[in-house]
Amino acid sequence: MSKQELVLETKMKEKEIDEQPTVMDLPGVGPATAEKLSSAGYETMMAIAVASPGELVEAAGMTEAAARKVIQAARSVMEMGFESGTDILIKRQNVLKIPTGSENLNQLLGGGFETGAIVECFGEFGSGKTQIAHMLAVQCQKQDETAMAVFIDTENTFRPERIIELAKGAGLDPDKVLGNIKVARAFNSDHQMLLAEKVSDLITKQKLNVKVVIVDSLTAHFRAEFIGRGTLAERQQKLNKHMHELLRLADSHNLLVYVTNQVMARPDVFFGDPTAAIGGHVVAHASTFRIYLRKGKKGSRVAKLVDSPNLPDGEVAFVVETSGLKDI
Ligand code: GTP
Ligand code: MG
């Protein structure tokens, strides 16, 4: 550890336990630089620790060497903590499983949609991704009536009328259920990222018991704004940052992050499924569970678990009904 890091660490320890170290504690970051960083979205130690030097150079007009130093310092004080297996087991015991109305789907997911995780649902238009989002916003309130859902809506697809139907179907008071859902329209990818960052405030400042955060659709704005090969790297970098923010939310507040994703045709695939999820590895790797949804026979929907840390891959069918999801 360098002397500078040591000084920084001591400074951090002197602060109150619940007081987070601030960006201003970093070497060479005064109020003016902190302001520039903050307005570019680098408000927290974590944001800086995971940024690239180039991003900070652009955001705060600092030299690359200074940016490297700041990132290094942020990384050294971040609790990139190691936990024991026992700690994690205890944490796992607090995991809630949000059931769906379909027993098959619950079983596929080991009991329901897990908190503390990101679940990505990808599939073609009309496959039911947004329906599942509405269902989760309602179902999370079934076990705990103080539970709240945050719906980050990028395509203007949130429908209160649909929530009312689903709440009635679940035997809940529709007004109460609607009141416990916070909806925000995201007008572009930056706005979407900012909204995700603001969810922490709802929990820590407004003390809301947020159990589900929905981003529907995760990738639509990114896809529309970054067109062409040349912008792909930048798009992926931003998506990566967004995913990490969501992961941090899921992990630190034991909540479910549910994101939807479209698929694109892959003209190079001749055998098997010729579709692939948008966002590629960045989205796939950050997601804890991935569900591929497609339309099945007679109006049914087929959900396939394609990636899970502890469950076997499998496939189940269900139907979307007015009152909710049901087994066939
Ligand atoms: P994109 O956002 O376009 O990619 O599609 P999506 O995967 O989000 O599809 P969505 O969840 O919007 O699914 C739409 C389908 O759900 C419709 O085609 C209907 O089959 C079904 N659906 C939606 N609302 C109802 C309802 O009230 N009752 C019934 N029975 N089915 C519904
Ligand atoms: Mg949709």
Side-chain angles (χ1 to χ4, degrees):
M1 189 183 278
S2 73
K3 193 175 155 211
Q4 203 172 34
E5 283 168 0
L6 203 68
V7 171
L8 188 62
E9 197 184 73
T10 322
K11 236 181 180 174
M12 301 302 176
K13 279 187 182 148
E14 281 166 2
K15 293 203 160 204
E16 294 294 325
I17 306 276
D18 59 16
E19 198 179 326
Q20 292 290 318
T22 70
V23 173
M24 291 252 273
D25 294 316
L26 292 168
V29 177
T33 310
E35 175 64 36
K36 279 186 202 157
L37 286 170
S38 159
S39 58
Y42 301 95
E43 276 177 321
T44 60
M45 282 293 199
M46 179 61 102
I48 290 177
V50 301
S52 69
E55 287 176 299
L56 296 195
V57 169
E58 199 174 316
M62 50 173 64
T63 65
E64 176 146 349
R68 279 187 195 285
K69 208 182 264 176
V70 166
I71 292 168
Q72 257 312 314
R75 286 186 178 176
S76 72
V77 293
M78 278 309 303
E79 275 208 34
M80 303 283 191
F82 289 95
E83 293 171 293
S84 72
T86 326
D87 291 341
I88 301 205
L89 186 63
I90 291 171
K91 228 175 168 178
R92 292 277 309 156
Q93 282 160 359
N94 294 326
V95 165
L96 304 172
K97 296 201 173 173
I98 301 167
T100 72
S102 156
E103 224 23 78
N104 290 340
L105 191 54
N106 294 346
Q107 256 174 31
L108 180 75
L109 299 170
F113 284 76
E114 275 190 25
T115 58
I118 297 184
V119 179
E120 176 204 351
C121 189
F122 63 101
E124 61 170 324
F125 66 94
S127 55
K129 305 179 294 289
T130 299
Q131 289 302 312
I132 292 183
H134 283 73
M135 180 274 303
L136 288 169
V138 172
Q139 288 283 340
C140 71
Q141 303 185 38
K142 206 162 177 183
Q143 293 152 308
D144 175 358
E145 58 176 30
T146 68
M148 301 197 72
V150 171
F151 202 117
I152 299 177
D153 185 359
T154 74
E155 301 187 298
N156 197 15
T157 48
F158 176 79
R159 291 291 174 275
E161 300 85 345
R162 189 69 187 114
I163 295 291
I164 292 173
E165 286 174 352
L166 292 170
K168 284 181 186 158
L172 298 169
D173 174 1
D175 290 334
K176 221 168 157 192
V177 168
L178 265 182
N180 282 343
I181 302 174
K182 295 261 180 216
V183 185
R185 273 297 302 280
F187 295 102
N188 56 47
S189 64
D190 284 312
H191 190 199
Q192 179 181 333
M193 290 170 78
L194 184 65
L195 287 170
E197 284 167 34
K198 292 291 173 198
V199 174
S200 291
D201 286 354
L202 296 179
I203 300 166
T204 53
K205 294 189 184 150
Q206 297 188 38
K207 307 283 176 217
L208 299 182
N209 182 21
V210 178
K211 279 293 144 218
V212 177
V213 175
I214 291 154
V215 187
D216 184 22
S217 132
L218 175 75
T219 46
H221 281 317
F222 288 90
R223 193 184 189 187
E225 290 165 28
F226 297 89
I227 307 158
R229 282 249 154 234
T231 59
L232 195 63
E234 194 190 345
R235 182 189 86 180
Q236 292 304 88
Q237 213 172 50
K238 280 186 84 174
L239 248 180
N240 192 27
K241 197 166 162 224
H242 189 37
M243 289 309 285
H244 277 91
E245 179 63 34
L246 294 171
L247 203 55
R248 201 182 56 82
L249 265 181
D251 194 60
S252 52
H253 302 293
N254 186 30
L255 53 79
L256 161 69
V257 173
Y258 173 79
V259 300
T260 67
N261 196 356
Q262 275 83 7
V263 288
M264 57 186 171
R266 291 177 51 185
D268 55 323
V269 174
F270 294 105
F271 300 102
D273 199 327
T275 55
I278 311 282
H281 295 306
V282 162
V283 175
H285 285 163
S287 305
T288 327
F289 299 91
R290 308 186 69 213
I291 300 170
Y292 177 38
L293 264 195
R294 61 185 165 81
K295 294 173 191 164
K297 289 192 185 106
K298 293 183 189 147
S300 69
R301 296 291 184 269
V302 180
K304 183 177 183 185
L305 192 64
V306 287
D307 214 344
S308 146
N310 60 327
L311 298 168
D313 289 0
E315 207 175 77
V316 297
F318 62 92
V319 283
V320 180
E321 287 180 358
T322 307
S323 61
L325 307 187
K326 296 280 178 296
D327 287 327
I328 297 171

